[in-house]
Amino acid sequence: MSGSEHHKGNKISRFSWFLLVSSAAIAYKLLPSHVSDGIFPLLLPGRTFDHPGCPQVPALFPETHAGLDATLDHLFATDGFKLEAYKQLGGAIRIRTESYDDFLPVGQDDRWNVFQDFHQYLETSFPLIYQRLDVNVVNTYGLVFHWQGSDQRLKPVLFAAHQDVVPVDPITVSQWTHPPYSGHFDGTWIWGRGSADDKADLISQMIMVDQLLKNGFTPQRTIVLAFGIDEEASGLEGAGKLAVYLEEKYGTGGFAMLLDEGEGYGKNAEDSLIFAVPGIAEKGYLDVRIEVSSAGGHSSDPPEHTSIGLLSMLVVELEKNTHRPVLQRSGTGFANAQCSVLYDPRYPPALRALAKKALHSDQALEQFMRALISFDKMFGVLFKTTQAVDLISGGVKINALPEVAAAVVNHRIAEHSSSKEVQQHITELVVPIAQEFNLTVNAFRDQLKFGDEGAVVLEDAFYSALEPSPVSPIHLKGPYGVLSGTIKATLQSSARYKASGVVVSPSLGLGNTDTRFYWNLTQHIYRYSHRGDLDDLYNGLHTVDEAVRGESLIEQIRFFTKLVLNLDESRDL
């Protein structure tokens, strides 16, 4: 997952996973008729439900391929297979495929060359894949593996991952338990940058294909793997180019389903529910630069407000007037809240009752929103566009008046809003202050002149504006149902399983993945990494001591294997 300051989404704290453990589906029969637009008509009655507010499917095991599934499950449980898988991930970690925000385009920056080493490693580790699949290189280092199915009437499925990793800060190397590019397996954990983000996904996909080939599997449905190279930076050289290639080759809407990295299933609970949280949508993104310019001069003869002082007023005004939370019955946030309240024992009976009233009462809906935010402020993050003043600069010398001061405000745009609405919100807050102090305003290329004592410029800081993503369908007969059933089957058949049950709950991503480039390929885009976010990661992502539990890599391989077999059998896609 991405983590740069620009177009990329910072990692969500693994300790807030339960706030994303919620369904984006409200049972169709419970909804008032005026809410039956958007994603909700996709939820039809007559399905299997664990609770009327959170439609569920049962565990889905391969049937036609049951024998192959059992054979591979037995193989995956052997010590020899596990150690080889750990070795393959460790080798991938040892190749420092770091991506940087200041990368020049491929061909103009020697730092890209390390990806060729990674390609050689993959070809050496998985020779059968390179012999049997159609392997295409896009923009020198992007990879696409095409496994042709026998039935060309079936739309292909696309599995995505990224080859690159976040750079390791040199000053932190001594803080690592094991060197950050060691790929060391200590008997429990596989250590190193990229172990979790995202080489475990990539290597488990490759191992899955390799083992299916070795066991004689021939897919009916074409399978495609696509691996980007700069997800942790702009994504433009990797997924940006891959998306063009894939759309040209397979057509707009040419895939039945796309699965990329995402949140997992919280933790491997004991005697309680496991919540799996595949993402069905992502917030939008906008960085706004606010620049104030005013006359310079000697500090001994200052004006009433310098450019820094004026900028400070604007920042204060922004933070006094944050975006309002909005809870819409047709939105993902409402469904999230409903499912959280229904399943999580933390919530009191009174809030459960309010949740039911909110289905049809506007007054209760407003009360429900306020009660949720009061109960846990993270709900406010889910329900609104967030803003954070993250960068600020101004002044060059203590005895010189600053002629320019600037700040950059990061926004994660709620699904009910847009980048245009964010721009309008900021402009409306800036204009009164500009008028008061006789400043000209250039608001996103619209010039408003209120005086000549200075100027305010509002602009897209990094030209990286992104609208909120489309919301992927979650009807239970279709790709989402296959995904949900496979998640349950993989968990419930695992040797680690000690839970009382599994709830699969669609979630809203607060950051962005490579999927932002793939919207034209399919409407069925899901973001999910099959592991416990809290107990299969040693210390989170993008930080010191990144490590993934070895057993979780095996579970990822099991998951991808069952998913491919289930998708191959399904005719509902």
Side-chain angles (χ1 to χ4, degrees), residues 56-202:
Q56 298 288 304
V57 296
L60 180 64
F61 291 91
E63 295 181 358
T64 304
H65 302 302
L68 176 57
D69 182 44
T71 296
L72 289 174
D73 253 356
H74 177 75
L75 172 65
F76 298 158
T78 62
D79 289 340
F81 176 85
K82 290 180 180 180
L83 290 174
E84 181 62 22
Y86 303 159
K87 179 182 176 182
Q88 288 170 316
L89 176 56
I93 293 168
R94 283 190 284 276
I95 302 171
R96 305 185 181 200
T97 51
E98 296 180 335
S99 64
Y100 301 89
D101 290 339
D102 64 348
F103 258 153
L104 297 175
V106 170
Q108 302 178 31
D109 195 322
D110 289 342
R111 290 176 294 177
W112 290 108
N113 295 346
V114 68
F115 287 92
Q116 185 59 47
D117 297 335
F118 191 71
H119 290 191
Q120 293 173 356
Y121 174 76
L122 292 179
E123 186 167 2
T124 301
S125 301
F126 304 101
L128 189 58
I129 291 179
Y130 279 78
Q131 293 169 17
R132 299 277 298 277
L133 271 61
D134 182 14
V135 183
N136 293 277
V137 176
V138 177
N139 195 28
T140 308
Y141 299 118
L143 286 172
V144 177
F145 297 85
H146 175 100
W147 193 0
Q148 181 61 47
S150 59
D151 190 342
Q152 297 189 17
R153 297 171 299 177
L154 302 177
K155 280 188 175 184
V157 292
L158 175 61
F159 295 93
H162 59 89
Q163 306 168 54
D164 61 309
V165 301
V166 169
V168 174
D169 188 337
I171 67 173
T172 68
V173 170
S174 63
Q175 301 171 27
W176 286 69
T177 302
H178 297 282
Y181 289 104
S182 65
H184 176 69
F185 175 59
D186 65 4
T188 302
W189 302 96
I190 303 167
W191 296 83
R193 173 65 84 234
S195 56
D197 186 14
D198 180 38
K199 288 180 177 176
D201 278 316
L202 188 153

Side-chain angles (χ1 to χ4, degrees), residues 530-544:
H530 188 79
R531 60 177 170 240
D533 294 320
L534 297 180
D535 54 359
D536 283 334
L537 301 178
Y538 185 84
N539 193 36
L541 312 176
H542 294 195
T543 188
V544 169

Side-chain angles (χ1 to χ4, degrees), residues 444-458:
F444 308 101
R445 300 185 179 180
D446 289 337
Q447 187 150 327
L448 308 169
K449 189 171 180 64
F450 303 114
D452 55 7
E453 295 186 20
V456 180
V457 176
L458 306 176

Side-chain angles (χ1 to χ4, degrees), residues 200-351:
D201 278 316
L202 188 153
I203 293 298
S204 59
Q205 290 176 22
M206 294 292 283
I207 292 174
M208 171 269 292
V209 172
D210 189 51
Q211 289 302 321
L212 286 174
L213 285 169
K214 288 177 178 177
N215 282 270
F217 175 69
T218 300
Q220 296 183 72
R221 186 185 300 278
T222 295
I223 298 165
V224 180
L225 311 181
F227 301 152
I229 56 175
D230 59 345
E231 194 272 350
E232 302 293 2
S234 70
L236 294 172
E237 295 293 298
K241 298 290 195 298
L242 288 169
V244 174
Y245 168 83
L246 292 168
E247 188 171 1
E248 288 177 350
K249 182 174 178 62
Y250 299 97
T252 302
F255 288 92
M257 170 183 157
L258 186 161
L259 182 64
D260 198 1
E261 62 170 335
E263 298 293 319
Y265 54 82
K267 65 178 180 178
N268 294 278
E270 296 186 16
D271 301 321
S272 60
L273 288 174
I274 290 177
F275 290 90
V277 289
I280 64 167
E282 294 176 342
K283 278 190 168 186
Y285 189 98
L286 178 65
D287 289 317
V288 175
R289 176 180 171 86
I290 305 173
E291 181 181 283
V292 178
S293 58
S294 61
H298 200 282
S299 295
S300 62
D301 184 22
E304 184 177 358
H305 299 291
T306 67
S307 61
I308 292 176
L310 293 169
L311 176 64
S312 300
M313 293 182 195
L314 298 178
V315 169
V316 168
E317 191 68 11
L318 280 176
E319 296 200 338
K320 282 168 56 180
N321 295 275
T322 58
H323 296 263
R324 292 182 59 254
V326 175
L327 186 57
Q328 297 176 330
R329 293 189 185 92
S330 59
T332 305
F334 180 74
N336 285 345
Q338 286 282 331
C339 195
S340 295
V341 170
L342 291 172
Y343 275 106
D344 194 330
R346 299 183 308 147
Y347 295 93
L351 193 52

Side-chain angles (χ1 to χ4, degrees), residues 3-72:
S4 76
E5 315 140 324
H6 296 192
H7 194 46
K8 314 293 295 169
N10 291 332
K11 297 295 182 183
I12 309 306
S13 168
R14 296 296 169 180
F15 294 96
S16 67
W17 70 271
F18 56 88
L19 293 169
L20 299 178
V21 171
S22 44
S23 173
I26 300 299
Y28 185 84
K29 62 182 180 181
L30 290 182
L31 293 174
S33 59
H34 67 281
V35 185
S36 60
D37 293 330
I39 63 175
F40 296 109
L42 302 174
L43 301 173
L44 305 177
R47 303 291 186 258
T48 299
F49 298 99
D50 287 347
H51 194 290
C54 270
Q56 298 288 304
V57 296
L60 180 64
F61 291 91
E63 295 181 358
T64 304
H65 302 302
L68 176 57
D69 182 44
T71 296
L72 289 174

